[in-house]
Amino acid sequence: MDTLRIIINVAVMLVLIGVLVWMQKKHISFTKRVFTGLGLGLVFGVILQLAYGAGSEVISKSTDWFNLAGRGYVGLLQMVVIPLIMVSIISAIMNLKGKQNLGKMSGLIIAILLITTAIAAAVSIVTTLTFDLKAIEIEAGEREQKRGVALEERLGTVEGKTIPQQVLDFIPTNPFADMTGARSTSTLAVVIFSAFIGVAVLGLDKKKPEQADMFRKMVEAVYGVVMRIVTLVLRLTPYGILALITNVTATTNAEEILKLIKFVGASYVALIVMFIIHLILLAIFNYNPVQYLRKVLPTLVFAFTSRSSAAAIPLNVETQTKRLGVSDGIANLSASFGATIGQNGCAGVYPAMLAIMIAPTVGIDPLSWSFILTLILVVVISSFGVAGVGGGATFASLIVLSTMNLPVALAGLLISVEPLIDMGRTALNVNGSITAGVITGKVLGENDPEVFKRNADLDTVSV
């Protein structure tokens, strides 16, 4: 009987995918297809949970099939991330001309990411204190206790590292290993390696221009191929979002969320407030927040459902360059840096909230200014090199909590609502990197205002 139900569920998913295929053939806009996929997935997921229950075997096996479209899509995006970062940054740097300056671009992007992370931490602290969140009030079951033990074991890999040692981790001692994502700092290491190649080409221009020109032609050819792959993968976005949101909705345990509804609510209040701050910053630089929001929503929806800042890099870059008018170099740098440095949600909001919640359990006054200022500083420093995939927030929290001499095991109390909160955190991470790219381009005069003013859908550009 269960087999029949699974077959029916998979058949329904195929029908929903067919609806999206029909919409594409009718040339319905990319944005509308993305939101249709989101809506259909939400409804289908709710129906599945009501029919079978979140932890049922039918849902487990059905979502396993749905993952062919959902996690498969995320996997294809992750496949193209490293090649995209490499050829895009090499191409952007080796084609720098005149007033363009790599140091200014990189420095300004990183500065904006770190400043907004500090603001995110401050917002999180205020929110946590306002909601009066305390770790001691959360009941620890067997699952939470196991998670706490696992976190303490994982702490051994990051505990005791000084700031200079953490900085040394960014150096790509083996760039080929970093291309496989071997370390949490691999994406940043690939960015650094690619930047060195780009700078080397600029130096080669003066000594051996023929070789520099030959290398440029090779990179331009590879860049064209990679961007074509990106385009092909991005066309699958509506289908990926349909499957991803169906899985999340069908498997989310409503009872566990209700137990921690206060924490979930506080988390999303902090995330929304920080998102509004992003829009205010853009408005200060003469960007219409409403028009901006319309253009970035498909990218944020994907980040929300996939929970991977790194996987969102291709769509992030495409949105910045084709919809917001940001130059290729700045877009690629901000998207790449934003996946590993200064993540406003995972490295800003979350660790600060945990620290404030846990502090009273060891006799620390969370209202102490010395504690608060130290916490914000530690959050900003610890935001370097956080992996832009699921688990990045946990890694950031381990560093922050251990540096502040707080017990890391208590972070395991929130395991049941981690996926739900992580969706919002990831969307904020990606929006933070886009904001950094747009503002940097504006300050350096690299943005094309006409592209931002256009109301063209992403379909009419490349997808």
Side-chain angles (χ1 to χ4, degrees), residues 13 16-17 20 30-42 44-45 66 69-74 77 233-249 296-307 315 423:
M13 174 59 72
L16 297 179
I17 289 174
L20 295 176
F30 178 77
T31 302
K32 290 178 181 177
R33 282 185 279 127
V34 165
F35 280 97
T36 299
L38 180 67
L40 292 174
L42 283 170
F44 187 33
F66 300 165
R71 302 317 301 180
Y73 171 63
V74 174
L77 281 169
V233 174
L234 291 185
R235 285 178 176 170
L236 302 175
T237 301
Y239 313 107
I241 286 177
L242 166 66
L244 288 168
I245 199 65
T246 299
N247 285 1
V248 170
T249 310
V296 302
L297 267 179
T299 303
L300 299 185
V301 167
F302 168 71
F304 185 84
T305 53
S306 70
R307 297 169 52 205
L315 195 54
M423 296 167 77

Side-chain angles (χ1 to χ4, degrees), residues 114 158-171 185 188 374-385 399-400 402-404:
L114 295 182
V158 297
E159 190 175 26
K161 281 194 175 183
T162 63
I163 293 175
Q165 289 171 338
Q166 291 180 41
V167 172
L168 286 175
D169 283 343
F170 304 151
I171 297 175
T185 56
L188 185 56
T374 302
L375 175 58
I376 292 174
L377 180 61
V378 169
V379 165
V380 171
I381 295 172
S382 301
S383 71
F384 278 87
I399 297 174
V400 171
S402 63
T403 303
M404 300 294 292

Side-chain angles (χ1 to χ4, degrees), residues 134-137 355-364 366 406-407 410 413:
K134 295 176 182 176
I136 198 170
E137 296 176 351
I356 294 295
M357 288 174 60
I358 293 172
T361 65
V362 291
I364 296 175
L406 297 171
L410 291 177
L413 296 171

Side-chain angles (χ1 to χ4, degrees), residues 299-300 303 308-309 312 316 425-435:
T299 303
L300 299 185
S308 174
S309 301
N316 185 334
R425 290 193 309 238
T426 306
L428 184 65
N429 293 343
V430 173
N431 195 66
S433 70
I434 296 175
T435 300

Side-chain angles (χ1 to χ4, degrees), residues 186-247:
S186 284
T187 303
L188 185 56
V190 170
V191 171
I192 294 171
F193 179 62
S194 303
F196 267 99
I197 295 176
V199 171
V201 175
L202 292 177
L204 201 62
D205 276 329
K206 300 175 182 177
K207 296 185 177 181
K208 296 183 179 180
E210 300 85 4
Q211 292 182 6
D213 288 340
M214 183 181 297
F215 186 81
R216 273 194 175 85
K217 290 177 181 177
M218 290 171 54
V219 172
E220 287 169 1
V222 174
Y223 181 78
V225 172
V226 170
M227 290 309 297
R228 183 57 189 164
I229 295 173
V230 170
T231 297
L232 293 174
V233 174
L234 291 185
R235 285 178 176 170
L236 302 175
T237 301
Y239 313 107
I241 286 177
L242 166 66
L244 288 168
I245 199 65
T246 299
N247 285 1

Side-chain angles (χ1 to χ4, degrees), residues 234-406:
L234 291 185
R235 285 178 176 170
L236 302 175
T237 301
Y239 313 107
I241 286 177
L242 166 66
L244 288 168
I245 199 65
T246 299
N247 285 1
V248 170
T249 310
T251 57
T252 299
N253 192 316
E255 290 182 4
E256 290 185 346
I257 292 174
L258 288 174
K259 290 179 183 177
L260 294 172
I261 191 66
K262 187 177 178 182
F263 177 78
V264 174
S267 297
Y268 271 91
V269 166
L271 294 171
I272 291 169
V273 168
M274 194 59 213
F275 186 79
I276 292 171
I277 290 174
H278 286 168
L279 297 180
I280 292 172
L281 289 173
L282 291 166
I284 291 173
F285 286 90
N286 297 320
Y287 282 92
N288 185 318
V290 176
Q291 192 168 1
Y292 166 84
L293 197 56
R294 286 179 55 205
K295 290 173 177 286
V296 302
L297 267 179
T299 303
L300 299 185
V301 167
F302 168 71
F304 185 84
T305 53
S306 70
R307 297 169 52 205
S308 174
S309 301
I313 288 176
L315 195 54
N316 185 334
V317 172
E318 188 82 357
T319 299
Q320 286 195 58
T321 55
K322 305 301 183 184
R323 308 194 83 184
L324 302 175
V326 180
S327 66
D328 287 339
I330 292 174
N332 280 287
L333 285 172
S334 65
S336 303
F337 284 152
T340 51
I341 297 174
Q343 294 182 357
N344 289 187
C346 291
V349 169
Y350 189 63
M353 185 168 284
L354 284 180
I356 294 295
M357 288 174 60
I358 293 172
T361 65
V362 291
I364 296 175
D365 180 9
L367 292 172
S368 165
W369 277 108
S370 60
F371 176 78
I372 290 174
L373 293 176
T374 302
L375 175 58
I376 292 174
L377 180 61
V378 169
V379 165
V380 171
I381 295 172
S382 301
S383 71
F384 278 87
V386 175
V389 295
T394 301
F395 182 80
S397 299
L398 286 177
I399 297 174
V400 171
L401 294 177
S402 63
T403 303
M404 300 294 292
N405 295 316
L406 297 171

